[in-house]
Amino acid sequence: MSGQGPQRRLLGSLNGTSPATPHFELAANQTGPRCLEVSIPDGLFLSLGLVSVVENVLVVAAIAKNRNLHSPMYYFIVCLAVSDLLVSVSNVLETAVMLLVAAGALAAQAAVVQQLDDIIDVLICGSMVSSLCFLGAIAVDRYLSIFYALRYHSIVTLPRAWRAISAIWVASVLSSTLFIAYYNHTAVLLCLVSFFVAMLVLMAVLYVHMLARACQHARGIARLHKRQHFIPQGFGLKGAATLTILLGIFFLCWGPFFLHLSLMVLCPQHPICGCVFQNFNLFLTLIICNSIIDPFIYAFRSQELRKTLQEVVL
């Protein structure tokens, strides 16, 4: 199930690392540079995956329980939680299967293992694509709620939201199947990297525009209260900090993985790029961390959802 270097499966199997392995080690190449390799223990990876699963299950349960949260905005948040849940479950499942096979506890024919690997890879790829899509959908929804506030409920209706959600899931499944089937083609990697860049640009443009509108609104309020020098500055700094955190976390968690894919196209045989390839497990771990952080950014900030969450937990 595992592969080495840039020729490994697109989202292929994780490199098994022993929990006793040091977190940082220098991997020396006989003909290449010394590389700093960050080794992620299996126990830590599985623990992060389980935390993500619990968090996102709670988000789905809370929104399902409270009828006041049955609106397009929260449906997009539910779908993001489901996508993050699938990202975590699929990666945890793949790691668990690899550990069982390596320990001899799971005996299976090579063909069966390969089929299982294909299914898990499609699940991982599809959940990643859908997660990025729903992050973009949430940004578009919030943009419409600010710039088209009076027409928002006539623009973002439940039928339209359901159609958008269905289209995203269908596109994610089809694209992930094609990506895994043709994983060794350069065009597949370029499509995935282009998709990530498009989502990053979309989110950055929309959120920066929303921040500019919010600061403009705050300046208008300040003029009415004759406090031009205090409210706008403070509000602008707070909004800029929030925007920086939101986009920064998105880029930090997803960027290294897509950098890995980019280098597989640009320099698959270069020794320095090989150093990046050796940290593939770290890049997947960052995506799991993003699944843990997403509920805090998009869901747990809602006071009503937090109250419902307390009822669900208790």
Side-chain angles (χ1 to χ4, degrees):
M1 291 177 68
S2 61
Q4 300 297 329
Q7 301 303 322
R8 67 183 301 158
R9 296 296 301 270
L10 173 62
L11 295 170
S13 307
L14 306 176
N15 286 327
T17 55
S18 170
T21 305
H23 288 275
F24 296 92
E25 59 183 18
L26 286 174
N29 253 344
Q30 293 181 353
T31 58
R34 291 172 62 84
C35 303
L36 179 64
E37 181 180 355
V38 182
S39 181
I40 306 298
D42 294 322
L44 175 61
F45 188 86
L46 292 173
S47 299
L48 291 174
L50 292 176
V51 170
S52 172
V53 168
V54 171
E55 278 189 8
N56 287 288
V57 165
L58 288 175
V59 171
V60 174
I63 295 177
K65 177 181 175 60
N66 190 339
R67 291 185 177 275
N68 293 330
L69 302 178
H70 291 185
S71 64
M73 178 182 70
Y74 284 101
Y75 286 150
F76 288 131
I77 292 176
V78 164
C79 290
L80 175 63
V82 172
S83 297
D84 288 342
L85 179 65
L86 291 176
V87 169
S88 303
V89 168
S90 54
N91 278 290
V92 167
L93 177 62
E94 186 171 39
T95 303
V97 170
M98 284 191 63
L99 291 175
L100 291 175
V101 171
L106 181 63
Q109 296 179 354
V112 175
V113 173
Q114 184 61 51
Q115 289 178 356
L116 180 61
D117 184 51
D118 292 339
I119 294 173
I120 295 177
D121 284 343
V122 170
L123 182 60
I124 293 174
C125 186
S127 57
M128 286 181 175
V129 171
S130 63
S131 182
L132 290 173
C133 285
F134 285 117
L135 285 171
I138 291 172
V140 171
D141 178 76
R142 293 185 175 181
Y143 182 87
L144 293 174
S145 68
I146 291 176
F147 286 87
Y148 300 92
L150 298 178
R151 299 169 50 203
Y152 172 76
H153 292 290
S154 62
I155 296 175
V156 186
T157 61
L158 278 178
R160 287 177 179 173
W162 282 120
R163 284 197 294 269
I165 289 170
S166 301
I168 289 174
W169 282 117
V170 171
S172 299
V173 173
L174 292 178
S175 62
S176 62
T177 304
L178 291 175
F179 288 159
I180 298 303
Y182 301 99
Y183 69 91
N184 56 347
H185 288 68
T186 302
V188 169
L189 302 180
L190 291 177
C191 286
L192 281 173
V193 173
S194 300
F195 174 67
F196 168 73
V197 173
M199 286 296 106
L200 178 62
V201 171
L202 174 67
M203 292 176 62
V205 170
L206 293 182
Y207 282 121
V208 168
H209 198 188
M210 283 186 274
L211 175 61
R213 172 59 69 89
C215 291
Q216 182 182 6
H217 182 66
R219 282 195 294 269
I221 295 176
R223 292 192 189 97
L224 293 176
H225 294 276
K226 298 181 179 180
R227 291 187 295 172
Q228 292 89 338
H229 298 291
F230 298 100
I231 292 182
Q233 269 191 338
F235 184 88
L237 290 175
K238 183 179 178 180
T242 302
L243 178 63
T244 301
I245 292 173
L246 190 151
L247 294 178
I249 289 175
F250 176 80
F251 184 77
L252 178 64
C253 292
W254 287 96
F257 174 78
F258 286 94
L259 173 64
H260 176 99
L261 299 186
S262 301
L263 295 181
M264 288 176 67
V265 176
L266 298 175
C267 52
Q269 303 298 331
H270 197 281
I272 295 179
C273 296
C275 292
V276 177
F277 300 146
Q278 292 178 11
N279 290 287
F280 184 71
N281 286 0
L282 172 63
F283 305 154
L284 287 180
T285 303
L286 289 175
I287 292 177
I288 298 292
C289 291
N290 184 78
S291 300
I292 296 175
I293 297 171
D294 277 347
F296 291 97
I297 296 178
Y298 297 100
F300 296 154
R301 296 175 64 184
S302 168
Q303 184 176 0
E304 186 166 6
L305 191 145
R306 288 200 304 270
K307 290 181 180 179
T308 308
L309 190 61
Q310 290 176 357
E311 297 175 6
V312 172
V313 173
L314 297 177

